[in-house]
Amino acid sequence: MNPRAVHVVVCTHTTRWLAECLAGLAQQRVRATSVIVSCDNEDEGIRGVVARCARDYDMEIRLVQREHAGVARLNQVRNNGLRALQSDVGVGDHDQVVVMDGDVVLDVEAIGQHADLAARFGMVIPFRIDVSEQRSKGVAAAGIIDGSEVFEIGDTDRKRLAERQRRYERELAMKLWPLVGGVLVKAHKPKVLGGHHAVRWSVLKAVNGYDEAYQGYGYDDDDLSRRVHALRPRVEVGIAVNSVMAFHLWHPTRASSGGPKATSGYERFMQVDWSSRTLHGLESPIDQAQVRVITNP
C-alpha cells in the first residue's frame, strides 16, 4: 500500500527553535508531502529562518503571515495554515495533516509513521517528551541535520508514555459503550496535544477546523478533541503516544499561574456547545488582517 499524503502545518510566533523544528522535518526518512509555517505575526526574522531552511535543506516551505491581532490567536493561525494548504497546495479528503508547534522536533520516523497510520485513523493522538532547559541549550539545527544530535529516551519517559498509552486506550474503549463511557470518560478524552497531532482532512472539514473564538492560552486542543469525538459516524482514533516520538524543546511557559482553569480558554470551553462543527473556523474565519502566503521567501 502506498503511503498516504501527509502535510505538515507548523505554528509559531517566534524564531525560537524554528530552525531546529524544520531541520527535524528535513531529516525525516519519509518527507512530508508539503510543509507550511503559519505565524501569529509578520516577524521578518521568521521569514529569514524559513528562507534559509528552505534553501539549505532543499525543502519547499510555504510561509503564512498576517499582522498580529494584539492577542494570541493560535487556532486562527492553525486555520490560516489549513486554508493555505487548501488553496496553494491542494489536499485530498484522505490526506493526513500533522499540526505541530515550532518548538517540537520530530523523530526521524515520525512522518512515515503518520503516513502508515493515516490509512486507518481519522485522528492520531501522539504525545511528546519534554527536553530539559539544560539539554535544550545544547540543541542546534546543524546537529539534527548531520545526525549528531540524538535525543535520548530514558526509562522514566518510556514508563510515563506507556502508562499514558494504556490510559488513552482505556478511555477510547469505554467510549464504545455510551452508557458507561458517557459517565466515566469526559467528552474530550482522550485528547490531542496541541504541540503535535494529526487529523484527516475530511475530519477537519467536518468540524470546520479549529475554533477561532479561542484566544489567549488554554483548552483549544480539548475543544478540537471534543468535536472530533462527537462526529457521527464515529471517527477512528489511533493512540500513538508510545510509538510516534516528538521532542519538545524548553522555553518559558505561557501557562497561567492560576492553573489551566484560570484562562479565557477554559471559559470558552465551558460554554458547552455539543455541535461537532464550530461556528468560527476553517470556512468561516473571524476577521483579521490580510493573510500573505509566500513560497520559499
Side-chain angles (χ1 to χ4, degrees), residues 9-249:
V9 175
V10 177
C11 302
T12 189
H13 65 283
T14 175
T15 58
R16 181 183 55 213
W17 302 128
L18 181 58
E20 287 70 28
C21 172
L22 295 175
L25 291 174
Q27 284 301 91
Q28 292 297 301
R29 305 264 193 241
V30 176
R31 276 201 176 186
T33 308
S34 70
V35 175
I36 292 173
V37 175
S38 187
C39 304
D40 198 22
N41 52 47
E42 292 186 313
D43 184 351
E44 291 188 4
I46 293 175
R47 197 173 308 169
V49 170
V50 171
R52 185 173 68 253
C53 290
R55 180 189 67 243
D56 293 350
Y57 307 154
D58 191 26
M59 297 173 67
E60 182 173 271
I61 307 174
R62 285 172 175 81
L63 176 64
V64 182
Q65 289 189 298
R66 59 104 167 95
E67 183 181 343
H68 185 58
V71 62
R73 290 186 177 179
L74 174 57
N75 273 357
Q76 188 169 69
V77 170
R78 288 166 168 165
N79 283 339
N80 285 343
L82 297 180
R83 286 186 278 263
L85 174 61
Q86 186 175 38
S87 63
D88 287 58
V89 179
V91 56
D93 280 349
H94 294 289
D95 291 358
Q96 199 83 328
V97 183
V98 174
V99 180
M100 59 185 292
D101 290 345
D103 55 12
V104 171
V105 177
L106 296 183
D107 179 77
V108 295
E109 305 290 351
I111 296 299
Q113 290 172 313
H114 276 301
D116 292 338
L117 292 167
R120 179 178 175 188
F121 299 112
M123 181 167 74
V124 175
I125 303 178
F127 204 67
R128 71 186 190 192
I129 295 173
D130 288 321
V131 181
S132 70
E133 178 179 6
Q134 182 178 2
R135 175 71 179 88
S136 294
K137 288 178 179 179
V139 175
I144 295 172
I145 289 297
D146 66 21
S148 63
E149 190 68 74
V150 178
F151 294 97
E152 300 291 343
I153 305 175
D155 291 341
T156 300
D157 287 323
R158 292 189 186 279
K159 181 179 179 181
R160 288 173 178 169
L161 292 174
E163 290 173 348
R164 186 176 292 270
Q165 176 83 18
R166 288 192 293 270
R167 183 171 82 247
Y168 283 10
E169 288 175 345
R170 185 168 59 250
E171 291 172 344
L172 197 58
M174 284 193 288
K175 281 185 176 293
L176 298 177
W177 302 88
L179 293 179
V180 176
V183 175
L184 299 179
V185 182
K186 294 179 180 178
H188 63 292
K189 295 295 184 76
K191 67 180 283 300
V192 298
L193 184 74
H196 171 219
H197 57 272
V199 189
R200 187 176 295 158
W201 181 251
S202 61
V203 175
L204 286 168
K205 288 198 303 181
V207 299
N208 198 21
Y210 297 85
D211 184 354
E212 295 187 8
Y214 281 83
Q215 300 183 18
Y217 183 88
Y219 281 87
D220 38 24
D221 313 322
D222 304 66
D223 172 77
L224 176 72
S225 303
R226 181 168 64 187
R227 289 187 291 108
V228 171
H229 286 309
L231 283 173
R232 295 295 180 271
R234 189 182 298 275
V235 173
E236 287 287 329
V237 175
I239 308 301
V241 168
N242 63 358
S243 57
V244 181
M245 294 291 103
F247 304 92
H248 176 239
L249 300 177

